[in-house]
């Protein structure tokens, strides 16, 4: 092959390298969010740390790769950079649970944990991946007069690779393979890519060995922890199902979690009944809207409450808006969810469900969380509350599950949500589930909003016990109403666990 042919082949190889490495960066980033989720959650702070570390690492890689290419523009060195990046991604796959778990045992709070885990697990590979584009550009530039076009073309290919990696990982590979196998596949792909620039047999053998090791790691079954029945990545969550003993009752329970700091849902394994006390406070609907017939629930989880609802209210039906179809499938497999003519499941975002023109409800219950304590911000705003009131029948009511306190710094979100509902409904009450008289205790709080005043007692013993939990103190007006334009929910909930 002539010199012109070698240059042409090298040009194609460089273009392929920057495209694949661009795809690897974004796939690695999306997988990283799932790696951190069981140990630090998915809050804005966790995402900020992950994105900040990745961008800083790429910037360091761009700088170092350009300097290194000027000193030694050798295709074999580019091969070593790509192979080293693959090795770092493979190491991340091996340590994805061990390292965050070790950090969790020593560090309080998701902020510091996610920052340190991101630095250890994701920075090294991204520094090396960032070095590929400037190095490839240096190899392709032969005519200074066309260097701008060459660099622009390569960075466009890198961006196209990032777009492809984003859609492929987010819509296909993470739901299909899970984050662990995706990481091993990325490592194997980078090892394979490095072979394009390998000249000697010994170097090719090293790349081939790592390729086989990473491929084998991706094919190996994942290890399950004690009591862990399922560890599943979906487009919306990393879902874990395990069995343990309920601390309050001593009864065996099966638990669904999508966050390290709380439990999404749970059911008893030895009988019926609701595991979480706050679910019983949804009986407030019986008092606010006697004889209700149509109920909407935003947030299905493991469908523990809808299953109980069907048994308790034989004359009522419930429509559940659950954004993640995989959660519904998990509920069917592990939590006893069955089809029922009075249960309708809609797989869509709760706000979109509210925005649709549809049937009006006697009662709307909001029990949706993005992590252990954070309600999705677009469900908390005055615009969302107005949509809830528009979907209510005459005399209808809304119940909202909140985690926080009423007073003190951990009660800012509670007070903001109270002010927001008061801007739409004439009657709003708070019902702390644990200790109703302790305003600074972080606990489940059920907010009840209605247009029709009701007596303070019902005449039914258990329901009257719930009504006695009504917060009788004042609610400070120290935070503004939440709006679609400004709803700093995670800021208000900082430190609430």
């Amino acid at each position: 092959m002539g010199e012109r042919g070698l240059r042409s082949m090298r040009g194609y190889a460089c273009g392929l390298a920057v495209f694949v490495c661009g795809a690897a960066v974004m796939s690695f980033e999306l997988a990283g969010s799932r790696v951190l989720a069981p140990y630090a959650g998915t809050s804005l702070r966790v995402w900020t740390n992950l994105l900040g570390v990745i961008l800083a690492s790429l910037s360091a890689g761009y700088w170092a790769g350009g300097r290194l290419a000027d000193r030694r523009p050798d295709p074999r060195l580019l091969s070593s950079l790509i192979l080293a990046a693959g090795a770092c991604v493979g190491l991340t796959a091996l340590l994805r649970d061990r390292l965050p778990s070790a950090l969790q045992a020593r560090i309080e709070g998701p902020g510091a944990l996610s920052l340190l885990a991101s630095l250890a697990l994701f920075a090294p590979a991204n520094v090396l991946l960032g070095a590929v584009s400037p190095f490839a550009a240096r190899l392709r530039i032969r005519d200074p007069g066309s260097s701008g076009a060459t660099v622009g073309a390569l960075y466009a290919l890198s961006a196209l690779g990032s777009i492809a990696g984003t859609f492929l990982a987010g819509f296909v590979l993470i739901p299909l393979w899970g984050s662990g196998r995706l990481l091993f596949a990325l490592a194997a792909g980078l090892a394979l890519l490095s072979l394009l620039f390998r000249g000697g047999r010994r170097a090719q053998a090293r790349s081939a060995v790592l390729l086989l090791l990473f491929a084998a790691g991706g094919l190996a079954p994942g290890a399950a922890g004690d009591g862990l029945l399922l560890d599943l990545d979906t487009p919306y969550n990393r879902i874990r199902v395990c069995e343990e003993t309920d601390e309050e009752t001593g009864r065996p329970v099966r638990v669904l979690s999508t966050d390290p700091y709380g439990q999404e849902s749970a059911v008893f394994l030895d009988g019926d009944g609701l595991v979480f006390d706050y679910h019983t406070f949804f009986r407030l609907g019986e008092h606010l809207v006697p004889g209700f017939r149509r109920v909407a629930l935003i947030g299905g989880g493991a469908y523990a409450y809808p299953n109980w609802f069907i048994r308790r209210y034989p004359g009522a039906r419930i429509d559940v808006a659950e954004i993640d179809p995989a959660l519904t499938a998990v509920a069917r497999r592990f939590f006893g969810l069955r089809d029922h003519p009075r249960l309708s499941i809609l797989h869509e975002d709760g706000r979109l469900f509210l925005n649709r023109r549809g049937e009006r409800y006697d009662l709307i219950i909001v029990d949706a969380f993005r992590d252990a304590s954070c309600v999705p911000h677009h469900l908390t705003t005055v615009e969302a509350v107005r949509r809830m009131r528009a979907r209510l029948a005459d005399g209808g009511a809304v119940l909202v599950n909140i985690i926080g306190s009423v007073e003190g710094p951990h009660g800012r979100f509670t007070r903001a949500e109270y002010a927001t509902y008061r801007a739409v409904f004439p009657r709003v009450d708070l019902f702390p589930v644990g200790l109703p008289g302790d305003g600074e205790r972080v606990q489940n709080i059920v907010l009840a909003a209605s247009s029709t005043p009701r007596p303070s007692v019902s005449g039914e013993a258990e329901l009257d016990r719930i009504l006695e939990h009504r917060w009788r103190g004042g609610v400070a007006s120290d935070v503004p109403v939440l709006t679609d334009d400004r709803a700093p929910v995670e800021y208000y909930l900082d430190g609430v666990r």
Side-chain angles (χ1 to χ4, degrees), residues 105-290:
R106 293 168 175 80
I107 297 175
E108 283 289 333
L113 190 156
S114 60
L115 178 60
L116 291 176
S118 296
L119 286 168
L121 293 174
F122 306 111
N126 278 291
V127 170
L128 293 164
L129 289 169
V132 171
S133 290
F135 204 110
R138 177 65 178 84
L139 291 179
R140 282 197 63 174
I141 291 174
R142 289 292 180 267
D143 178 8
S146 61
S147 59
T150 300
V151 172
L154 285 176
Y155 274 87
L157 278 174
S158 177
L160 288 174
S162 296
I163 294 169
T166 299
F167 286 108
L168 188 62
F171 291 150
V172 180
L173 298 182
I174 290 179
L176 183 65
W177 289 348
S179 55
R181 287 183 177 176
L182 174 59
L183 290 174
F184 279 116
L186 289 175
L190 291 170
L192 180 63
L193 180 66
S194 72
L195 288 171
L196 286 175
F197 302 94
R198 285 288 175 182
R201 291 184 178 179
R202 184 176 298 177
Q204 290 177 350
R206 285 197 295 267
S207 296
V209 168
L210 284 177
L211 170 62
L212 291 174
L213 287 175
F214 296 147
L219 293 174
D226 292 340
L228 185 63
L229 303 178
L230 178 71
D231 189 343
L232 174 68
D233 283 294
T234 80
Y236 300 97
N237 296 289
R238 182 171 175 182
I239 302 170
R240 290 189 167 191
V241 178
C242 63
E243 292 183 356
E244 56 189 53
T245 300
D246 183 52
E247 294 181 356
E248 293 186 10
T249 63
R251 297 170 62 184
V253 292
R254 182 169 291 166
V255 176
L256 181 146
S257 299
T258 58
D259 183 270
Y261 297 97
Q263 299 173 337
E264 177 87 11
S265 193
V267 296
F268 289 116
L269 294 176
D270 60 355
D272 296 331
L274 294 169
V275 176
F276 298 148
D277 288 341
Y278 81 85
H279 276 147
T280 64
F281 277 62
F282 292 161
R283 287 197 60 199
L284 287 165
E286 301 174 23
H287 182 68
L288 296 172
V289 192

Side-chain angles (χ1 to χ4, degrees), residues 298-329:
I298 298 177
Y303 291 79
Y305 178 75
N307 283 340
W308 179 86
F309 178 98
I310 292 297
R311 294 192 300 269
R312 179 168 181 86
Y313 304 113
R317 64 171 293 118
I318 184 168
D319 294 347
V320 181
E322 169 54 58
I323 193 171
D324 193 347
L327 276 174
T328 303

